[in-house]
Amino acid sequence: RSTVSGYLAPAAAGIAVLRLPQFAERAGAEVAEEIGELKKEAGGALGALVIDMRGNTGGWVEEAAAVADLLLSAGKIATVRSRRTPAKVYSASEQATDLKLPMVLLTDGGCRSSCELVAAALRDNGRALVVGAPTWGKGSVQGVFDASRGPWSVLLTIALYLGPTGRSLQARGVDPDVPVASLVQAQAGQRREADLSTHLTAEDLIASVPNPLLTSALTRCAQKARKPAAASGGKGGSR
């Protein structure tokens, strides 16, 4: 079902907010359509885009790659690696529909699977700044196999996601460039993938690369933004 929605941020000219709670069928096409509608509403042009992926539990890998491709003009999106078949590499291609806007991703501990694939692709390619809290850390792919006899099925883990740098997301997830204290505190004590007794572990030692967008000027800006939130008791800090 369609889950894409958006609006123009009040009191912030030209800033569009896109809500993307999962990667359902046609998610890539619907993101492009929604951005088109927001451009019309803004008078023909947008200044920046905020993609709210908090609570996004994942969905179709192909649709997640399509969304990432819409936001990237070049670079590797992800690699899906399995034991029995050759690895499948998703790469961005330059298209007339590519969005060139400055971009921020909102994440939290509810972000899982293909949602984390998109977050890693945009962050590691220096395309978007990730703001919020660490994601869940589900870097695996499952397949459902129906039994030849009887009304039952088997759910098997069949592959792992690797980010653009080849770093596994399994039991790691994506850490925000700019942590939001209210979101981080709200997740304190909550379980993530790495806390599950049967979780798979990452098979590489590749460290997370710094986001080239996180300049000293942006760091200072984030620090200034935290002060009013702290003074008001943190109200609105996760919005």
Side-chain angles (χ1 to χ4, degrees), residues 20-233:
L20 189 55
Q22 67 178 18
F23 291 98
E25 190 174 357
R26 292 194 72 252
E30 289 178 2
V31 166
E33 292 166 5
E34 185 64 30
I35 293 297
E37 292 299 318
L38 291 171
K39 282 182 178 179
K40 292 178 183 177
E41 189 178 340
L46 294 174
L49 178 64
V50 176
I51 301 182
D52 187 353
M53 295 201 302
R54 290 174 295 175
N56 186 317
T57 54
W60 297 107
V61 177
E62 298 287 344
E63 295 299 333
V67 171
D69 193 7
L70 179 66
L71 305 173
L72 287 166
S73 296
K76 186 181 290 186
I77 295 173
T79 301
V80 178
R81 182 171 59 81
S82 61
R83 288 182 177 177
R84 295 188 177 182
T85 59
K88 184 169 185 178
V89 179
Y90 293 90
S91 297
S93 57
E94 188 169 5
Q95 307 171 72
T97 54
D98 287 347
L99 296 177
K100 309 292 186 180
L101 302 172
M103 192 161 44
V104 165
L105 296 183
L106 302 182
T107 64
D108 65 4
C111 293
R112 307 186 186 198
S113 196
S114 51
C115 169
E116 297 175 281
L117 179 155
V118 173
L122 299 179
R123 182 193 179 279
D124 291 353
N125 280 293
R127 182 64 185 86
L129 201 67
V130 179
V131 175
T135 62
W136 173 266
K138 181 184 177 295
S140 60
V141 185
Q142 281 68 44
V144 179
F145 300 87
D146 295 327
S148 58
R149 294 181 183 179
W152 54 273
S153 302
V154 176
L155 181 70
L156 294 178
T157 296
I158 58 175
L160 293 174
Y161 298 125
L162 305 179
T165 64
R167 180 177 184 268
S168 174
L169 303 180
Q170 176 59 28
R172 289 171 167 168
V174 178
D175 291 326
D177 302 305
V178 180
V180 175
S182 59
L183 284 177
V184 175
Q185 291 168 3
Q187 293 180 191
Q190 293 182 6
R191 293 200 305 172
R192 297 172 64 197
E193 180 82 6
D195 299 315
L196 302 179
S197 60
T198 58
H199 77 271
L200 299 175
T201 57
E203 298 177 356
D204 64 81
L205 299 175
I206 300 175
S208 179
V209 298
N211 190 335
L213 293 179
L214 190 60
T215 62
S216 56
L218 276 174
T219 301
R220 290 194 298 270
C221 180
Q223 291 171 345
K224 290 180 181 179
R226 291 190 186 103
K227 292 179 181 178
S232 60

